[in-house]
Amino acid sequence: QVQLVESGGGLVQAGGSLRLSCAASGRTYSGYVMGWFRQAPGNERDFVAAITSSYGNTYYADSVKGRFTVSRDNAKNTVYLQMNSLKPEDTAVYYCAVRYGSSVYAHPNEYDYWGQGTRVTVSS
């Protein structure tokens, strides 16, 4: 069993920044992919970014490329999502999720464990 806890959400003005954290605990494995997803009211849960544990390869949705950066600290079992130049359309609940293996998928069904989410609100 793995527990994921997100933090760092909040209210920010358009153009501002936030850094989300996702701390993993419990039974962890060395080879995994950590993903960030977001879900706005009435919308499906969408892929935002992902990072692999082994080489730190990163992947981004087109909507956040150049603005968001995903990183990891393996020693702390923590993954971060630095969000810059935030826009009102970035408003959502952000979730981190983990899948064990080396392949990166954008579909949420491919992920094994999820955090409870942290809300991000960007005002215009």
Side-chain angles (χ1 to χ4, degrees):
Q1 191 73 10
V2 174
Q3 294 80 42
L4 301 175
V5 179
E6 302 98 334
S7 61
L11 173 64
V12 64
Q13 288 189 332
S17 298
L18 283 173
R19 189 177 82 154
L20 306 183
S21 300
C22 174
S25 61
R27 189 174 184 181
T28 57
Y29 300 88
S30 59
Y32 62 86
V33 174
M34 188 72 79
W36 284 98
F37 292 77
R38 65 186 181 186
Q39 188 167 19
N43 288 2
E44 295 181 347
R45 193 167 294 190
D46 294 328
F47 173 78
V48 174
I51 187 167
T52 63
S53 63
S54 53
Y55 297 105
N57 296 329
T58 57
Y59 304 82
Y60 298 94
D62 288 342
S63 59
V64 306
K65 278 180 182 176
R67 300 188 298 123
F68 291 11
T69 302
V70 60
S71 61
R72 78 201 194 292
D73 184 335
N74 285 345
K76 295 182 178 179
N77 285 332
T78 300
V79 174
Y80 305 96
L81 184 68
Q82 178 67 42
M83 306 186 297
N84 298 329
S85 302
L86 282 162
K87 305 175 181 180
E89 51 263 44
D90 294 319
T91 295
V93 177
Y94 283 71
Y95 299 88
C96 65
V98 64
R99 72 175 306 276
Y100 291 106
S102 58
S103 299
V104 178
Y105 294 94
H107 199 288
N109 288 352
E110 297 292 341
Y111 289 75
D112 302 303
Y113 297 97
W114 291 82
Q116 82 290 349
T118 186
R119 185 173 301 277
V120 172
T121 303
V122 184
S123 63
S124 57

